[in-house]
Amino acid sequence: MAAGAGTRFGGGKLLAPYGDGVLLEGALRAAFAAPVRTVTVVTGSDPSRVGAAVMAYARQAGQDERLKIVHAADHAEGMGASLRHAAAALPADAEGVYVFLGDMPRIPASVLEPLAQAVRDGAPAAAATFGGKRGHPALIGAALIPQLLTLTGDAGARAVLQGLGDRLVLIEAPDDGVLFDVDKPADLPGSIR
């Protein structure tokens, strides 16, 4: 998901310097490391600049053939719009969909396969957790994808996952990267708080 305007950040959040690149690259790195056929990036408030950064990263990583960029013209509605567009872009035979957030640059790759295995083993969905707190990414199985197509507002995948109770498999992460997100400039490493 790379459609938000980053209002609390002051705009341009996903393209803010982070590490050796820009913030969005952390989420892209995790998405391309996941056991998936394609990576679909949903753009919104700054589609040309974000799309160009995504394409540049994918090309440099040798992953451009696996990349699909979708624009959510109604992105201002919230996360629901982004997820609707992402779900609509999935192939009909998709077994599930990971939900990565563009402002979460530290997702540990070690949680990705266990999430997939949980869904392969029959869980309707799985999510990463750390220290008793549910984080990202989430992996939503095929049976729940139709629910993504009906989301509205800013609820995001949480609206789909809440009703699962203990059927939502939680995968413990090795660190808090599954919880760390950037909302404002002070959240960036090296900033003065």
Side-chain angles (χ1 to χ4, degrees):
M1 302 291 104
T7 325
R8 287 179 285 179
F9 192 86
K13 174 171 66 170
L14 297 178
L15 301 179
Y18 185 88
D20 292 335
V22 296
L23 179 63
L24 179 58
E25 290 175 0
L28 291 171
R29 187 176 307 108
F32 283 117
V36 296
R37 289 182 285 175
T38 60
V39 170
T40 301
V41 176
V42 180
T43 64
S45 67
D46 194 357
S48 59
R49 287 184 48 210
V50 170
V54 168
M55 283 298 300
Y57 178 83
R59 248 190 313 275
Q60 180 265 336
Q63 297 290 340
D64 46 326
E65 290 183 15
R66 293 176 60 204
L67 177 66
K68 183 178 201 177
I69 298 176
V70 175
H71 178 63
D74 53 354
H75 63 89
E77 175 191 317
M79 186 76 75
S82 296
L83 286 167
R84 280 195 317 269
H85 287 279
L90 291 173
D93 64 344
E95 296 175 32
V97 59
Y98 282 90
V99 178
F100 291 96
L101 303 181
D103 64 355
M104 295 190 71
R106 292 184 23 223
I107 301 297
S110 63
V111 300
L112 303 174
E113 180 55 38
L115 290 168
Q117 191 59 51
V119 170
R120 281 188 215 111
D121 289 344
T129 184
F130 183 76
K133 294 181 181 177
R134 192 171 85 213
H136 287 276
L139 176 56
I140 297 171
L144 297 177
I145 291 173
Q147 290 183 36
L148 296 178
L149 293 167
T150 66
L151 290 174
T152 58
D154 205 30
R158 184 177 302 123
V160 174
L161 301 177
Q162 279 177 330
L164 295 178
D166 61 2
R167 295 183 308 135
L168 173 65
V169 172
L170 299 175
I171 303 296
E172 184 69 20
D175 61 55
D176 69 347
V178 299
L179 304 175
F180 175 77
D181 69 339
V182 174
D183 288 326
K184 46 195 184 304
D187 296 333
L188 293 170
S191 14
I192 300 172
R193 297 183 196 275

